[in-house]
Structure formats: C-alpha cells, structure tokens
Amino acid sequence: MSLQPKPQLQFADWLAAERASDQGRTEFLDGEVFAMAGGTETHNLICGNVLRELGTRFKGRPCYVYTSDMKVRIESANLGTYPDVMAVCGERRFWDERRDVITNPTLIVEVLSDSTESYDRGDKFAYYRSLPSLSAYLLLSQHRVGAELFLRQGGGDWLLRSYSDLREDVPLIALDAVLPLSEVYDKVEFGAGS
C-alpha cells in the first residue's frame, strides 16, 4: 500500500478563504496554513504608535504605511503573511486588483511576542530577506525598550543595529525617516500583561 500525498493548498485558494473569513487571520507557507495569535495591549500600543509616527513622517511624500490588515506575498518562499507594520516608499506593487496584498515592502516591522520571537528572528526573517525591495527589518520588544534594526547593505548583507534608550532615534535610512523610541513606547507599561 502506498501513501497518498497530502493535497497542498494553493496561495490563491488561501487568499480567497482569508478574504471571506471573519474567524481570525492565518499565515500561508508553502501549502500549509497556520493560525495567528491575537496581540496584547502592549503589542497593539506599540503597533499603533509606529503607524502614527510613520504616517506623520510620510505626509506629503510617496511613502505609505500599512496596518497588520495588509498582507505581504513572498513568491520565492510561497508565503503569505501579515506583518505588524509595513511601509512602501515609491511605487506600490499589489498581488491583484483587490490591493490588499503588497509584494514590494521597503520596511517590515514585527513586535516580538513569546510565541513568535524565534520565528520572527529566524525563518520569517530569512523569507523576508528574499524580497529585493526590503531595505529594513525592525524588531521591537514588548517587554522592555528595545529595537533591533536590520539594514540591507549594498552587497546584500544585513547590518544589525540595536537601540535601548528612550532618547534614541531609530534611523530608517531607506525611508528617509527616523523613529524616536520615545514615540514607539509612548503609554506602554512594561510588565502590565505584555
């Protein structure tokens, strides 16, 4: 008796199901679907602060910032996922006419949680790095003031810079913007259910 191969879901089928669902978000990775956990108050405050700050800095410029409702498609990894915050400077490229899936982010921001930290630092970052448009990947802690900024260098290597003082600004060179940590962590109470 031979084993039958498990049928693999196609990206287009996952996307159609995501668009029709009101049951929470999932991530698509090479034919498999994974449920995504909801965020804490701290997670939401940080994401909201980043969105507000980048949105203000992008006024009058051809840069766009998106919430975690916008999906990103990484063709080389056969991945569809929802970054916490995503920005595009310049031309925006969408998966289809629905315009809810970006294929060329300039910046991706993930707020680390206990359940996703190793994935965000490991495999997910490897998938993100395969996007030619991605210039910066920002990881933010929700347990302390902490930002890790990965910047793509000319030869394709990634340079890591860390920030941990509320008086510091995170320089988002590819977006011609800075992100003050005092604004990222505005109203965040560490240890309060984060």
Side-chain angles (χ1 to χ4, degrees), residues 27 72 74 77 79 81-84 105 108-110 119-120 122-134 137 139 152 158:
E27 180 173 285
V72 66
I74 304 171
L79 174 67
T81 190
Y82 297 82
D84 289 327
I108 290 178
V109 179
E110 296 286 3
Y119 179 53
D120 289 340
D123 288 344
K124 197 172 201 180
F125 182 33
Y127 301 141
Y128 285 158
R129 286 193 310 262
S130 71
L131 289 164
S133 63
L134 191 68
Y137 182 52
L139 297 175
R152 187 186 302 263
W158 288 81

Side-chain angles (χ1 to χ4, degrees), residues 112-125 137:
L112 300 173
S113 67
D114 293 339
S115 62
T116 65
E117 182 170 358
S118 62
Y119 179 53
D120 289 340
R121 291 180 181 285
D123 288 344
K124 197 172 201 180
F125 182 33
Y137 182 52

Side-chain angles (χ1 to χ4, degrees), residues 124-193:
K124 197 172 201 180
F125 182 33
Y127 301 141
Y128 285 158
R129 286 193 310 262
S130 71
L131 289 164
S133 63
L134 191 68
S135 298
Y137 182 52
L138 180 61
L139 297 175
L140 298 170
S141 174
Q142 64 175 311
H143 298 299
R144 60 180 168 70
V145 174
E148 294 174 67
L149 177 64
F150 294 87
L151 295 169
R152 187 186 302 263
Q153 303 300 293
D157 292 335
W158 288 81
L159 175 68
L160 167 63
R161 294 211 170 129
S162 299
Y163 305 87
S164 59
D165 188 316
L166 283 175
R167 296 170 293 191
E168 291 181 291
D169 293 338
V170 177
L172 301 173
I173 297 162
L175 294 90
D176 193 26
V178 297
L179 196 56
L181 284 184
S182 60
E183 296 298 329
V184 170
Y185 289 102
D186 183 48
K187 295 185 177 66
V188 172
E189 300 171 15
F190 296 106

Side-chain angles (χ1 to χ4, degrees), residues 28-40:
F28 174 87
L29 177 58
D30 201 24
E32 295 186 60
V33 176
F34 301 91
M36 295 176 64
T40 63

